[in-house]
Amino acid sequence: MYSVMPKILPNFLIFLIVLPFMFSCTTIRKTEASTPLTNDTSLVLADTIDNYNYHNDRVTGSFDLPSWLDFSTINPVSEEIYTIGISDPGLDPNTAYNQAVSRSKLVTSLLIASKISDCKEIYTNETGKTNQSDNAAKFTRFQVIKTKLVTDDSQFELIDSTTSRYGEKIVILKYHNSPGSPKNPEIIQSNIDVMLAEYNLRTKFQENRYFDCVHKITSQEFTEEASYRLYKVDEISDIVSTFNNQSINFKTDTYKYLLQDASQVPDYPVKTKLYYGLWKAVFESIVLQLANSNAPSKYAMQTMRDDYINENGNKSQSIDQQIHTIDFSGKITRLFISENELTLQIEKTKP
């Protein structure tokens, strides 16, 4: 008996250390809904622990998000848009709330007032041999997405919010797109540089994505500035984020979420992984859908081609370039999360 106790005691002490952490891993939800926006931090601190939707899977480490996050209960009337904003993980509650609201306003401007300048380049290098293993191809798309939306802070209404186990503040706002000049104008501006590239060399395929977003909100009372840079090689991502001139040290983790069963998720052309957090997946999904908007019937096209013969036979290289600018507007209709993958459905109203 005495020989067994030294083995049991360390395990018991480890259990006592881990137990508080297990209880702390909960999903937090704000109980008050449909609240006008304000700088009052009581909106942040009024959260209560909400255990009814909490699920901790010891194998996957996933947990459930609240069901209202899927937008299924939202029925906007005309002139209303519902948007989502999510903070970076691990921030203090006040900063997290302000960043989430700021990003929700960014999403509002992207959905209502996006102007997209698009340039596509297709490069091919063909040897003319029967064996095409030496052929190479590259498709590159360069875009600039700009928005400028003049609003009034009173046009935004807080519908619901939650805080994830990783400290991400999540808010859903309703925007009333009422006509007329705002009494206290608030200008939301953003500039997003986008590069999407696909490489095919011999048998290797690689996809690169680069998004560099800078957005600014100005009013008579305050100015908010933020940036978000996402660089991806296949599914490996690097993220740089700032808010009000402060660099945010992005916490590296394996983020996992549950919201729906896989059978509920429809086929959709854009799906984004959640292993780098909720905002990364939402932001990437929105930008990709803007990038893949239907092109107008008129665009400028330039082609350059070079054909020649070398010691290996016939060879040709060509570059095709298309340039156009479009306006885009739309609205979020549903949000699905399953198998740690996000599907954000956007219904286009323009073009």
Side-chain angles (χ1 to χ4, degrees), residues 84-148:
I84 186 171
I86 305 159
S87 75
D88 292 326
L91 302 180
D92 67 87
N94 191 48
T95 302
Y97 173 78
N98 290 332
Q99 186 186 51
V101 170
S102 178
R103 285 177 170 176
S104 184
K105 291 181 177 181
L106 165 66
V107 172
T108 303
S109 69
L110 288 171
L111 292 176
I112 293 178
S114 284
K115 184 176 289 291
I116 307 168
S117 298
D118 186 49
C119 175
K120 302 175 187 176
E121 286 188 356
I122 302 174
Y123 167 79
T124 58
N125 187 336
E126 299 177 352
T127 61
K129 296 180 180 179
T130 304
N131 183 2
Q132 299 181 0
S133 61
D134 291 332
N135 293 347
K138 178 182 177 182
F139 171 76
T140 309
R141 172 178 284 168
F142 302 97
Q143 289 183 319
V144 178
I145 303 173
K146 292 181 178 290
T147 69
K148 183 177 181 180

Side-chain angles (χ1 to χ4, degrees), residues 55-74:
H55 169 80
N56 185 17
D57 189 320
R58 294 182 179 180
V59 177
T60 66
S62 302
F63 66 96
D64 283 333
L65 289 164
S67 58
W68 52 261
L69 193 60
D70 66 5
F71 282 72
S72 62
T73 59
I74 291 174

Side-chain angles (χ1 to χ4, degrees), residues 172-192:
I172 289 184
L173 303 185
K174 178 166 66 174
Y175 173 68
H176 305 269
N177 192 12
S178 55
S181 300
K183 297 179 180 178
N184 299 301
E186 187 175 271
I187 303 174
I188 306 170
Q189 293 177 284
S190 67
N191 188 97
I192 305 177

Side-chain angles (χ1 to χ4, degrees), residues 176-349:
H176 305 269
N177 192 12
S178 55
S181 300
K183 297 179 180 178
N184 299 301
E186 187 175 271
I187 303 174
I188 306 170
Q189 293 177 284
S190 67
N191 188 97
I192 305 177
D193 294 322
V194 181
M195 186 193 75
L196 307 174
E198 297 177 2
Y199 303 88
N200 190 1
L201 178 60
R202 298 182 177 92
T203 58
K204 183 180 179 181
F205 176 82
Q206 180 175 300
E207 184 179 43
N208 292 2
R209 294 175 181 175
Y210 175 76
F211 308 116
D212 188 2
C213 173
V214 177
H215 80 275
K216 183 177 182 180
I217 302 175
T218 56
S219 69
Q220 296 177 351
E221 291 79 19
F222 69 93
T223 299
E224 283 183 353
E225 294 182 347
S227 67
Y228 188 80
R229 184 177 299 131
L230 170 64
Y231 179 67
K232 286 185 60 182
V233 178
D234 293 330
E235 287 301 331
I236 305 300
S237 299
D238 183 62
I239 297 171
V240 178
S241 177
T242 67
F243 186 61
N244 286 336
N245 299 319
Q246 292 187 354
S247 179
I248 297 173
N249 186 17
F250 190 84
K251 181 182 177 183
T252 303
D253 206 335
T254 303
Y255 301 91
K256 296 183 179 180
Y257 312 86
L258 293 172
L259 186 57
Q260 287 107 350
D261 294 330
S263 60
Q264 296 176 283
V265 182
D267 290 333
Y268 201 67
V270 178
K271 295 179 182 290
T272 51
K273 300 295 185 181
L274 285 153
Y275 294 107
Y276 290 84
L278 279 165
W279 176 245
K280 176 264 179 190
V282 169
F283 175 76
E284 182 183 8
S285 179
I286 292 173
V287 173
L288 285 176
Q289 291 186 67
L290 292 177
N292 294 325
S293 298
N294 293 331
S297 57
K298 295 182 180 180
Y299 55 85
M301 184 169 180
Q302 303 175 23
T303 301
M304 182 173 67
R305 185 178 181 89
D306 183 17
D307 298 312
Y308 57 94
I309 301 175
N310 59 16
E311 64 274 11
N312 296 320
N314 295 331
K315 192 170 185 178
S316 66
Q317 297 184 84
S318 66
I319 296 178
D320 295 324
Q321 188 180 80
Q322 300 176 9
I323 302 173
H324 66 264
T325 300
I326 63 172
D327 295 329
F328 175 93
S329 63
K331 59 183 180 180
I332 298 173
T333 56
R334 285 296 301 273
L335 184 150
F336 299 89
I337 291 176
S338 181
E339 300 180 350
N340 221 40
E341 190 173 60
L342 178 136
T343 303
L344 185 69
Q345 292 184 327
I346 297 178
E347 179 182 319
K348 294 187 294 183
T349 57

Side-chain angles (χ1 to χ4, degrees), residues 5-20:
M5 286 300 294
K7 297 180 181 179
I8 296 177
L9 186 58
N11 292 333
F12 180 69
L13 290 175
I14 292 172
F15 174 76
L16 290 178
I17 294 172
V18 173
L19 185 62

